[in-house]
Amino acid sequence: MKKIAVLTSGGDSPGMNACIRAVVRTALFHNIDVYGVERGYEGLINGEITRLNHRSVSDIIHKGGTFLKTSRCPEFKDLEVQKRGVYALSAYGIEGLVVIGGDGTFRGAKSLSDNFGIKVMGIPGTIDNDLAYTDYTLGFDTTVNTVLWAINNLRDTMHSHDRVSLLEVMGRHSGDIALYSGIAGGAEYILVPEVPYDLDEIASSIRKSSLRGKTSNTIVLAEGAGDREEIVQKLKEKTGINVKVTVLGYIQRGGSPNMADRVLAAKFAIKAVEMLKNGENSSAIGIKNNKIIAVDFEKAFSEKKEFDKELLESARILGL
Ligand code: F6P
């Protein structure tokens, strides 16, 4: 393979820049020309493609976001639209593609591979950690640490005022950001979409703990686990307590990637480029039991993500 391209698509995640850099430098090391597609699939169908060299990716390893930019491109589901992307790639003689993104990005990648024979390697870049075939997605670790920073700050003020805090975090349909940041931040209650919860029981637990002298509580709510206003209202009715709400929002998606994500970015990128170089089948790259793996897209989609319920339950015990 002589020419490949790289793009980022869907919601950005910390480590995408480090990953693009590693794709570019690995490709150049193997004497493969490398191109950057701007704005994900949207840029691909519009032919926004430029040649990258070593210096194009200087000084980006530590930056959040993605210098190639990204977009959500629902129209890319349409085969006719995909054809425009295929045409743009062939105009540059590009034979292989590395896509960095989440589930939607991978579906586009699979279609380019199945329907047009393009070799595509998918690198899981999303803060949500919602892809079952990989233990971690790129950006998840940094995001959890950003959320943890927020919980630490909230604890200071909530503890000083004897208050109950509810922090809403992202994750779409996944509760992993809430789970890991909540456990690390000492949250007493972690509400996730994967496991039903009972507000009556939470209210009674808060009341009982206050009789035992516990005056401050932290609730971490995953955005997919319910309506924050309704939850706060119900807890107020049942406990008389005014729960203080913070929605962390996009702050948790930006920021400098940490060590774990930068190393993961490098490992994913090296694997993806080497597979393209060797002419291997289109695959989703991941990490399982600390080993870099490659599985076909079909398998990546068919696996069901296991949620760590035991860890979730431990929040109550540890927060007593
Ligand atoms: O998938 C990443 C994510 O940040 C989700 O956690 C969140 O639900 C969604 O993207 C927000 O999407 P948008 O950036 O389009 O508002």
Side-chain angles (χ1 to χ4, degrees):
M1 194 162 288
K2 288 270 164 285
K3 289 185 184 181
I4 67 167
V6 56
L7 62 79
T8 47
S9 158
D12 62 291
S13 68
M16 280 185 164
N17 275 325
C19 197
I20 299 165
R21 170 184 178 271
V23 166
V24 170
R25 299 234 169 121
T26 307
L28 294 174
F29 175 78
H30 291 301
N31 294 317
I32 298 171
D33 291 347
V34 57
Y35 292 78
V37 180
E38 286 187 29
R39 294 182 183 77
Y41 291 131
E42 195 181 298
L44 182 64
I45 59 185
N46 294 326
E48 293 178 55
I49 299 175
T50 39
R51 179 99 179 253
L52 300 174
N53 61 33
H54 284 95
R55 297 286 70 79
S56 319
V57 290
S58 292
D59 201 33
I60 62 167
I61 194 168
H62 59 299
K63 291 184 177 149
T66 159
F67 93 103
L68 283 177
K69 307 213 172 194
T70 184
S71 64
R72 302 201 186 273
C73 183
E75 61 270 35
F76 200 70
K77 286 186 190 131
D78 182 341
L79 279 183
E80 287 307 309
V81 175
Q82 288 174 24
K83 261 187 206 162
R84 287 168 50 200
V86 173
Y87 176 77
L89 290 175
S90 68
Y92 286 84
I94 295 166
E95 303 153 283
L97 188 60
V98 178
V99 299
I100 310 169
D103 182 73
T105 306
F106 280 16
R107 290 191 191 274
K110 180 173 164 22
S111 182
L112 286 176
S113 174
D114 292 352
N115 298 308
F116 301 98
I118 295 173
K119 297 266 168 148
V120 192
M121 300 299 158
I123 292 180
T126 165
I127 63 169
D128 298 339
N129 208 35
D130 57 350
L131 293 163
Y133 77 94
T134 182
D135 288 342
Y136 296 106
T137 56
L138 186 61
F140 171 69
D141 200 289
T142 302
T143 289
V144 167
N145 280 288
T146 303
V147 176
L148 187 55
W149 157 84
I151 295 176
N152 292 342
N153 284 15
L154 285 169
R155 289 180 77 92
D156 291 346
T157 172
M158 296 298 155
H159 197 74
S160 305
H161 283 266
D162 292 335
R163 281 174 170 165
V164 176
S165 150
L166 181 142
L167 173 67
E168 184 184 288
V169 300
M170 282 184 168
R172 208 182 287 272
H173 308 298
S174 164
D176 271 18
I177 296 175
L179 173 65
Y180 287 90
S181 62
I183 291 290
E188 286 78 9
Y189 307 97
I190 302 171
L191 312 184
V192 297
E194 293 88 342
V195 181
Y197 55 88
D198 179 350
L199 286 179
D200 284 324
E201 201 242 314
I202 293 174
S204 114
S205 164
I206 291 175
R207 276 198 310 266
K208 279 188 202 146
S209 67
S210 100
L211 295 174
R212 287 197 317 271
K214 189 174 176 71
T215 52
S216 178
N217 282 281
T218 303
I219 305 169
V220 179
L221 168 70
E223 63 179 352
D227 183 290
R228 63 175 177 272
E229 296 305 336
E230 273 177 29
I231 293 170
V232 167
Q233 188 52 38
K234 283 196 183 141
L235 288 177
K236 187 171 181 191
E237 281 162 19
K238 292 171 200 298
T239 59
I241 294 170
N242 247 336
V243 177
K244 297 289 179 183
V245 176
T246 307
V247 181
L248 198 52
Y250 293 95
I251 287 171
Q252 69 204 285
R253 217 161 76 183
S256 179
N258 65 12
M259 178 279 289
D261 280 324
R262 294 186 203 190
V263 172
L264 197 59
K267 289 183 175 175
F268 282 164
I270 291 166
K271 178 77 172 174
V273 174
E274 285 183 347
M275 285 185 69
L276 285 177
K277 173 179 149 270
N278 298 334
E280 291 182 54
N281 289 339
S282 295
S283 301
I285 312 293
I287 184 161
K288 209 79 208 178
N289 303 322
N290 219 16
K291 291 228 161 6
I292 298 299
I293 55 159
V295 302
D296 66 51
F297 285 114
E298 196 52 56
K299 185 169 182 319
F301 295 137
S302 62
E303 281 183 37
K304 185 151 167 35
K305 178 127 178 119
E306 262 182 51
F307 186 78
D308 194 341
K309 288 190 183 156
E310 261 179 54
L311 188 59
L312 182 79
E313 277 156 25
S314 70
R316 293 290 187 94
I317 301 164
L318 300 179
L320 270 175

